[in-house]
Amino acid sequence: MKILSVNAGSSSLKFTMFELPAGNVLISGNFEKIGIGNSFYSIKLDGEKIVKEKDLKDHSIAVSTLIEELIDNKIVNSLDDIDGIGHRVVHGGPNFKESVLINNAFLEEFKNCIEYAPLHNPAHLMGINAFMEALPNTPQVVVFDTAFHQSMDEEMYLYPLPYEWNEKYHIRRYGAHGTSHRFINKTISEKLDRNDLKVISCHIGNGSSLCAINAGKVVHTSMGFTPLAGTMMGTRSGDVDASIIPFIVQKENKTCEDVLNDLNKKSGLLGVSGVSSDFREVQNGINEGNHRCKLAFKMLCQSIANYIAMYNNMLDGSDVIVFTAGIGENSVTMRRQVIENIKSLGVTIDEEANGKRGEFVLISGKDSKIPVYVLPTNEELMIATDTYNIIK
Ligand code: AMP
């Protein structure tokens, strides 16, 4: 089956087409600056990347261009050759616990989820509508970033806030990166040939979250009601005392939204280093002796280590720790420092193995009490696989 995995943002549309069940990529690409001028798209095919300028007025034009490219490049002969489409959706609210087939009932219910991710969910809907118009007879599936975390127990997802807030407004921990954590759990379980693993999955990228998983069930995850919570990130603060918000509102004569924006977009690595939200830039700053870059690095590693230690406790001991995503897959220094910061758990490093990047590798020492792996994530494949399983 030829399955298209789609991630639509407000001005972008990323896609990967897979052949399933084999899982090989047929073509991938990205439409950028949709509806905001100077739009263009890139296509990756047979290891080559081509970039083309194109006036992409809206998502429908991006979708029709994508279909033309699929046909021109002989990936499909006609629209009928596209067997299914899987859409990534950031937030499924309290009701969506797994991936679902799109139909009218879904579209009606999804309206109730918009408020949980007011920036992302409307953009996903634009993408879904554009594909529904272009391919009305092709089955389409939604894969939620929050769904995996719906398996958390009540005492883990509730906040110690007035109970009615959850009853009235569904204020609770939803988490994010669920598709990535589910991929990591599934893949490491297959590789180690176990289905009862206690996994600490560390998705460390521009946005970062950790997830404690016991035999496929989420015990806890670090992001919360929104992706602002948890570890320190590229531009997001992670967990902070909420009292800081009204304090800064008053001191700087800002609105609550302004300060929330500061916590989401001007904090984390960027806020502390003052240099960049990009880990590589912060690393360059450290190499040049920049104190604030060094501080940002130390704070990032400590906040990741703290979650690992907490999750090891929540799991009553873990079987495996896995690093993934941009920083997790690539940063030798971050992994070294985090492992140093959790040495009280008996974790040790294999320096040579840790020198590898972007591949599946065991990086802990032979004497480590918990094995630590690097495993590249593949959310697109997970989305395509769910779509395949649902429409099959
Ligand atoms: P992601 O959000 O998963 O795409 O991850 C983005 C983050 O990964 C950015 O902070 C990048 O600086 C970081 N990153 C990407 N490649 C590397 C690398 N080779 N070494 C260190 N960090 C990297």
Side-chain angles (χ1 to χ4, degrees), residues 216-229:
K217 177 179 151 43
V218 174
V219 174
H220 199 272
T221 191
S222 60
M223 282 178 170
F225 180 63
T226 72
L228 176 59

Side-chain angles (χ1 to χ4, degrees), residues 205-206 234-235 268-297 300 326-327 330-331 333:
N206 190 33
T235 60
L269 287 177
L270 174 64
V272 177
S273 72
V275 168
S276 176
S277 62
D278 190 289
F279 185 83
R280 285 165 294 193
E281 300 287 325
V282 173
Q283 191 81 57
N284 291 342
I286 295 172
N287 297 341
E288 288 159 12
N290 182 314
H291 169 69
R292 278 174 56 184
C293 286
K294 203 168 174 185
L295 190 61
F297 173 81
L300 177 80
I327 305 174
N330 293 298
S331 174
T333 53

Side-chain angles (χ1 to χ4, degrees), residues 63-101:
V63 170
S64 54
T65 310
L66 163 55
I67 293 169
E68 278 165 27
E69 287 287 353
L70 293 179
I71 293 174
D72 290 353
N73 284 294
K74 303 200 169 20
I75 304 293
V76 296
N77 293 319
S78 73
L79 297 189
D80 294 341
D81 287 352
I82 304 174
D83 295 297
I85 300 170
H87 296 268
R88 173 189 182 228
V89 167
V90 160
H91 214 304
N95 295 330
F96 289 109
K97 299 184 190 319
E98 53 193 19
S99 304
V100 289
L101 192 69

Side-chain angles (χ1 to χ4, degrees), residues 193-204:
D193 198 19
R194 295 256 310 262
N195 57 14
D196 59 345
L197 280 180
K198 294 194 271 185
V199 179
I200 300 177
S201 170
C202 312
H203 178 114
I204 314 296

